[in-house]
Amino acid sequence: MTSQPATRERQRDADRTRAEILEVAQHEFARHGYAGARVDEIAALMRTTKRMIYYYFGSKEQLYIAVLEKAYAEVREVERTLDVEHLAPVEAIRTLAELTFDHHDAHREFIKLVAIENIHQAEHIRKSEALGNLGTPVLDLIERILDAGTASGDFVTEADAIDVHMMISAFCFFRVANQHTFGALFGRDMTAPEHRDRQRGMVGEMIVGYLRGGGARS
Amino acid sequence: MTSQPATRERQRDADRTRAEILEVAQHEFARHGYAGARVDEIAALMRTTKRMIYYYFGSKEQLYIAVLEKAYAEVREVERTLDVEHLAPVEAIRTLAELTFDHHDAHREFIKLVAIENIHQAEHIRKSEALGNLGTPVLDLIERILDAGTASGDFVTEADAIDVHMMISAFCFFRVANQHTFGALFGRDMTAPEHRDRQRGMVGEMIVGYLRGGGARS
DNA sequence: TAAGTAACGTACTAGTCCGTACATTAACTG
DNA sequence: CAGTTAATGTACGGACTAGTACGTTACTTA
């Protein structure tokens, strides 16, 4: 009943408002897709109004792009802090795979946003100046691990860094992104701890098995 | 300018109309997602009217479910005709992986529908009587191949059929489903023939390398 | 061939949703 | 402290969109 101290009543804070809009918008877009997301619903879930969305972001589409940019920026930040190069090549790539697994497991909304963006043929990413053709730090890291592994003789398969990145990402992405159809069809909840732990081991074994050449023909 | 023979002018054909609606609807849903798809647009792309969509399917949602059911039915039909059990276990699983690859490569719209359905937490699949908890024929096939491989000593890794299915599907699904964001970020068109052919080989080597135990720790 | 029904077309409605015009208030600045 | 600007709130409009009421035409069958 008693009101807050006068200074905290309806205090103005552009950064905070902007940040809150982005956060709520990320939830809404991830939950309902771009077309399914409702600007009014985003507004309703905030302590401010729809007017502010347009004040700070201009349109639903620009808000969505801003959400994408923020989400990708966070991922890049994580990738930049990866530190596996002190390990031997085999352990390095296995650890990278497992950390990628953990990261995907922990960032479901980012994965949904990427899936949504792909449904729209990445048209919004292409519209974003911040996101176009930027690549990602892991690629260099993978490149170096592959070189080291080839030099040491641990890796037999000649592999391309982008391919390896895709192989790891595919596994980690799929089990989160497709958990619902998979669950509905096979009755297995892939997010359950026992499956998660086993699958975490699988990524590593898969990628190392591939690079060691265990699957080579004849 | 001259009109068709009288018998062909505005002939009635319930099956044909129904089928055409489903086909056009699949395009529209795959292209724009569930919420983004427009019933009016589907109608505009047909030689009949919106009224027919409601006449045959009742609602946008039921139409979408019907599209899903048809798409899944086609996939099951392909899976049912798979014939790799005359091969030795290693070649059998490799061939299965490569055929899965080809199938995903050839059925982009199905993949998009699955991605869309996952964004909506598979709520429509769960509503469908035809799709709930049906599993899929490949699982039994994989099961038998794994058993044969373990018995023959070709496979060392103890693997679960669903996990193996996921590993293969993840790779095949991802490179199609995420081609747009991947392309935008890395500037690589994964659907280009040279990449496709190399990646087709990768699935096989990956899965065989994993099952042979080439990635086992220490 | 007459009657009945399945298939199809037109025109409209009720509601939703993005975006904005206009008013207001808090904070800063000289 | 007066003036200015940045930040916020309210109320509304115009376009779009799923769904329907109502009417019509082709085909079947007795």
Side-chain angles (χ1 to χ4, degrees):
Chain A
M1 289 299 170
T2 41
S3 53
Q4 308 274 332
T7 49
R8 291 225 35 217
E9 276 215 53
R10 185 96 29 229
Q11 211 170 1
R12 294 189 168 188
D13 189 336
D15 291 343
R16 197 193 127 111
T17 303
R18 237 189 96 98
E20 190 182 352
I21 293 174
L22 278 176
E23 193 186 333
V24 175
Q26 173 168 323
H27 282 49
E28 176 76 4
F29 282 122
R31 214 173 181 71
H32 303 288
Y34 176 69
R38 299 287 167 247
V39 176
D40 285 290
E41 181 63 20
I42 295 171
L45 294 171
M46 302 185 303
R47 54 148 194 50
T48 178
T49 65
K50 184 169 58 161
R51 177 69 185 79
M52 290 298 94
I53 293 172
Y54 289 92
Y55 182 70
Y56 286 109
F57 298 97
S59 70
K60 179 183 182 179
E61 187 180 18
Q62 285 175 273
L63 171 61
Y64 174 70
I65 291 174
V67 167
L68 273 181
E69 287 173 349
K70 177 167 164 275
Y72 268 106
E74 287 169 359
V75 170
R76 286 235 181 70
E77 206 37 52
V78 171
E79 289 183 345
R80 203 164 285 127
T81 65
L82 282 177
D83 177 29
V84 296
E85 289 190 86
H86 61 282
L87 297 169
V90 168
E91 278 312 305
I93 199 77
R94 190 201 304 276
T95 304
L96 175 65
E98 291 176 352
L99 290 177
T100 304
F101 182 96
D102 294 339
H103 187 259
H104 280 71
D105 195 68
H107 293 80
R108 309 278 166 113
E109 283 197 346
F110 172 71
I111 288 175
K112 278 203 153 192
L113 289 174
V114 173
I116 290 163
E117 186 57 8
N118 273 292
I119 285 164
H120 298 290
Q121 269 122 250
E123 62 167 302
H124 306 102
I125 285 187
R126 279 191 262 106
K127 275 180 190 167
S128 162
E129 295 163 12
L131 292 174
N133 243 357
L134 252 168
T136 178
V138 260
L139 276 191
D140 297 329
L141 179 57
I142 292 175
E143 191 85 56
R144 288 195 296 273
I145 298 175
L146 290 180
D147 286 347
T150 306
S152 69
D154 286 316
F155 298 159
V156 173
T157 305
E158 263 191 65
D160 172 81
I162 297 184
D163 283 344
V164 169
H165 177 55
M166 191 191 76
M167 191 180 272
I168 296 172
S169 298
F171 186 93
C172 300
F173 191 96
F174 185 93
R175 67 173 277 284
V176 174
N178 289 40
Q179 61 177 293
H180 301 105
T181 54
F182 224 76
L185 293 175
F186 304 126
R188 169 175 292 189
D189 176 13
M190 292 192 290
T191 67
E194 71 264 28
H195 294 129
R196 187 194 57 218
D197 295 346
R198 185 185 62 253
Q199 290 170 356
R200 187 176 190 271
M202 283 177 69
V203 218
E205 297 193 23
M206 170 190 85
I207 195 70
V208 172
Y210 171 72
L211 291 172
R212 274 185 175 159
R217 227 172 261 270
S218 94
Chain B
M1 290 298 165
T2 39
S3 54
Q4 308 276 334
T7 49
R8 291 227 33 217
E9 277 214 54
R10 186 103 21 233
Q11 210 169 0
R12 297 190 166 186
D13 189 337
D15 290 343
R16 197 193 126 111
T17 302
R18 239 189 95 99
E20 190 183 353
I21 293 174
L22 277 175
E23 194 186 335
V24 175
Q26 173 168 321
H27 282 50
E28 176 75 5
F29 282 121
R31 214 173 182 72
H32 303 287
Y34 176 69
R38 298 288 166 248
V39 177
D40 285 292
E41 182 63 19
I42 295 171
L45 294 171
M46 300 186 304
R47 54 151 194 45
T48 178
T49 68
K50 183 167 60 158
R51 178 70 185 78
M52 290 299 95
I53 292 172
Y54 290 92
Y55 182 70
Y56 285 110
F57 298 97
S59 71
K60 181 183 181 179
E61 187 180 18
Q62 286 175 273
L63 171 60
Y64 174 71
I65 291 175
V67 167
L68 273 182
E69 287 174 348
K70 176 165 163 275
Y72 268 106
E74 287 168 1
V75 170
R76 287 238 178 67
E77 205 40 49
V78 171
E79 289 182 346
R80 202 163 288 126
T81 65
L82 283 177
D83 177 30
V84 296
E85 289 191 86
H86 61 285
L87 298 170
V90 169
E91 278 312 304
I93 199 76
R94 189 201 304 277
T95 304
L96 175 64
E98 291 176 353
L99 290 178
T100 304
F101 183 95
D102 293 340
H103 187 258
H104 280 71
D105 196 69
H107 294 80
R108 310 280 167 111
E109 283 197 347
F110 172 70
I111 288 176
K112 278 205 152 192
L113 289 174
V114 173
I116 290 164
E117 186 56 7
N118 273 292
I119 286 165
H120 299 289
Q121 269 122 247
E123 60 168 301
H124 306 101
I125 284 187
R126 278 190 262 106
K127 275 179 189 165
S128 162
E129 295 164 12
L131 292 173
N133 243 356
L134 253 167
T136 178
V138 260
L139 276 192
D140 297 329
L141 179 57
I142 292 175
E143 191 84 57
R144 289 195 295 273
I145 297 175
L146 290 180
D147 286 347
T150 306
S152 69
D154 286 315
F155 298 158
V156 173
T157 305
E158 263 190 65
D160 172 81
I162 296 184
D163 283 343
V164 169
H165 177 55
M166 192 192 75
M167 190 180 272
I168 296 172
S169 297
F171 186 93
C172 300
F173 191 96
F174 185 93
R175 65 173 280 282
V176 174
N178 289 39
Q179 61 176 295
H180 300 105
T181 54
F182 223 77
L185 291 174
F186 304 125
R188 170 174 290 187
D189 176 13
M190 292 193 291
T191 66
E194 73 265 28
H195 294 130
R196 187 194 56 216
D197 295 346
R198 186 186 61 254
Q199 290 171 354
R200 187 176 190 271
M202 283 177 69
V203 219
E205 297 194 22
M206 172 190 83
I207 195 71
V208 172
Y210 171 74
L211 291 172
R212 275 183 174 161
R217 227 173 260 270
S218 91

